[in-house]
Amino acid sequence: MVMRPYLKWLAGLSILVAPGTVVPGSQSVRAQRSRIVEAVEVVGNRRLSAKDILSHVKTRPGEPFSAWQSSRDLQELVRLGVFDKTQLRVTSETGVRGGVVVVFEVAELPLLLEVKFRGLRGIEESEVIAALRERNISLVKDSVYDPVKIRAARLLIRELLASRGWPNTVVTIRSELGGTYVSIEFAVSYEQY
């Protein structure tokens, strides 16, 4: 069988576990594939238990190691939406018995502690919350902080104020992080012409 040059290069690499991330190791991919998983560990978790996190992972101790499966497990953890994607990693290292130890490094997104609105004119806070709910923008206590939802909420507040006669508003998002929780404040200011 003729092997293309890039496949020869790839076969000599260590495990590719996430897009753009190569984990160094002393064994080739082929050699690691035949090794047994000694342990699967989680590091960096604060709120969620390792057991809860590993319930979403299919890599198991005692089974043959698969870099492909480890990568799929990592993607499954991304899909949960509770971890910072930029800090989520999976690595493998040689275990004490010569097998593979798979380590998932996680960083949990903070939970919302509170959401405040300051400076609203011509609209009640309850109306803003109802409009957010209609658009499926959930900003309730103990939900996972999602920067995309926060930005969408800011735009919605501007739209609501414009529809009530305040088209020239600036909505500033202020956040205060405290451990595993974050408080958000939407501060509205009105430009005068």
Side-chain angles (χ1 to χ4, degrees):
M1 174 172 119
V2 176
M3 188 178 275
R4 294 191 175 131
Y6 69 90
L7 290 177
K8 285 182 183 178
W9 174 81
L10 187 62
L13 279 180
S14 295
I15 308 149
L16 183 64
V17 293
T21 305
V22 176
V23 178
S26 60
Q27 302 289 325
S28 71
V29 172
R30 188 172 303 155
Q32 287 204 10
R33 198 175 301 134
S34 65
R35 293 173 38 197
I36 300 299
V37 175
E38 281 184 29
V40 182
E41 301 172 354
V42 176
V43 296
N45 53 317
R46 295 175 73 176
R47 284 187 322 274
L48 300 172
S49 71
K51 183 179 177 181
D52 289 340
I53 295 168
L54 291 175
S55 70
H56 299 279
V57 168
K58 292 186 179 176
T59 299
R60 298 281 184 250
E63 296 181 357
F65 173 73
S66 167
W68 178 83
Q69 183 59 54
S70 294
S71 183
R72 288 195 40 106
D73 290 340
L74 184 70
Q75 292 308 312
E76 180 61 29
L77 294 178
V78 167
R79 277 190 287 278
L80 292 176
V82 297
F83 301 111
D84 182 343
K85 306 182 235 202
T86 64
Q87 296 183 41
L88 195 57
R89 308 231 186 299
V90 62
T91 58
S92 65
E93 48 195 52
T94 302
V96 293
R97 294 184 302 265
V100 178
V101 175
V102 178
V103 180
F104 291 93
E105 298 174 33
V106 301
E108 297 167 9
L109 290 170
L111 298 179
L112 287 175
L113 179 61
E114 64 181 339
V115 177
K116 298 185 227 174
F117 302 92
R118 187 170 52 80
L120 293 176
R121 290 186 193 166
I123 191 167
E124 295 295 321
E125 191 173 307
S126 60
E127 293 176 85
V128 173
I129 293 169
L132 290 170
R133 201 172 295 129
E134 284 177 20
R135 296 234 186 131
N136 294 322
I137 302 172
S138 176
L139 299 180
V140 297
K141 183 177 180 175
D142 291 331
S143 62
V144 174
Y145 169 75
D146 183 347
V148 174
K149 286 183 179 180
I150 300 298
R151 286 191 296 276
R154 180 172 84 45
L155 292 173
L156 178 62
I157 293 167
R158 287 189 64 207
E159 287 175 21
L160 289 171
L161 290 167
S163 72
R164 301 290 173 94
W166 299 95
N168 300 319
T169 60
V170 175
V171 180
T172 306
I173 301 167
R174 296 183 179 136
S175 59
E176 186 178 321
L177 184 62
T180 59
Y181 285 91
V182 64
S183 295
I184 302 293
E185 179 183 75
F186 293 96
V188 181
S189 57
Y190 301 84
E191 294 181 4
Q192 301 295 323
Y193 289 100

